[in-house]
Amino acid sequence: AARKIYQLLKKDKKIAFVTIGDPFLYSTYSYMLKKIKEWDSLIEIETIPGINSIAAVTSRYNLPLAEEKENTAILSNIKSEDHLEKVFNLFETVVILKLSRNYETAYRVLEKLALKKNVLIASKCGFEDEFYTENIEVFKNKKIEYLTLMIVKRKGL
């Protein structure tokens, strides 16, 4: 895809690459941009920021992501239960993206740390069939949509 876009750019075509969310937060756009810039560092590219899923969810739910001196972590891939426990001990708020591949590990750690009641799960924010819940049990043994994230606040929602 990057090569096709690059070929069109070299023909002086104007190209738009539309992405869900923000182009620089876990987006395919950033990989394509790197490739095109490798091939021609002089190509002019304008990136227009979007609203990332985290900001969309917290705004829709009226939930401050961080306040005062709170620190926030964003995870896309949980390495292990031990790693996630360390993250929860270091950060007041933890956002877990791509919950479909991280749910089981997150569930076990949240249960161990007694944080299961401190979660907001949002799926398909901004779509007609968006879904929000504070009940982590809803997804136990169920298929989770790719566009699902979890926000955990140690102090509670």
Side-chain angles (χ1 to χ4, degrees):
R3 186 161 302 283
K4 286 180 182 179
I5 290 171
Y6 175 68
Q7 290 168 349
L8 291 169
L9 289 170
K10 292 304 282 180
K11 293 178 183 176
D12 289 328
K13 300 285 184 184
K14 291 192 183 273
I15 305 297
F17 183 91
V18 180
T19 185
I20 296 172
D22 184 81
F24 287 120
L25 185 64
Y26 297 111
S27 173
T28 302
Y29 173 82
S30 61
Y31 306 116
M32 296 190 34
L33 178 66
K34 281 181 192 173
K35 274 286 180 215
I36 292 168
K37 285 295 198 177
E38 275 177 28
W39 296 326
D40 186 344
S41 62
L42 299 178
I43 279 187
E44 186 178 328
I45 297 174
E46 176 186 6
T47 303
I48 299 169
I51 298 171
N52 66 58
S53 59
I54 301 163
V57 166
T58 55
S59 293
R60 180 77 94 199
Y61 212 72
N62 288 317
L63 176 69
L65 185 62
E67 297 177 294
E68 297 179 10
K69 295 180 180 181
E70 293 178 343
N71 291 310
T72 301
I74 300 172
L75 306 176
S76 174
N77 187 38
I78 298 173
K79 296 176 183 173
S80 67
E81 288 182 30
D82 184 54
H83 177 255
L84 185 56
E85 279 188 55
K86 289 176 184 171
V87 171
F88 280 125
N89 287 321
L90 290 170
F91 296 90
E92 289 79 14
T93 302
V94 177
V95 178
I96 301 172
L97 302 174
K98 300 180 178 19
L99 191 62
S100 57
R101 70 174 179 214
N102 291 304
Y103 178 81
E104 296 300 326
T105 304
Y107 184 93
R108 288 189 299 271
V109 173
L110 290 167
E111 189 168 52
K112 181 179 178 181
L113 300 177
L115 291 172
K116 287 187 348 181
K117 296 213 179 270
N118 298 27
V119 305
L120 169 63
I121 298 173
S123 185
K124 299 181 80 177
C125 179
F127 287 80
E128 194 172 293
D129 57 343
E130 66 187 356
F131 175 78
Y132 300 86
T133 185
E134 294 178 26
N135 181 0
I136 192 171
E137 304 295 336
V138 167
F139 289 106
K140 195 154 187 170
N141 301 315
K142 289 191 178 167
K143 184 179 181 326
I144 298 173
E145 289 280 344
Y146 176 73
L147 296 175
T148 303
L149 64 81
M150 176 189 290
I151 299 173
V152 182
K153 297 191 69 72
R154 268 198 339 231
K155 294 178 183 176
L157 304 176

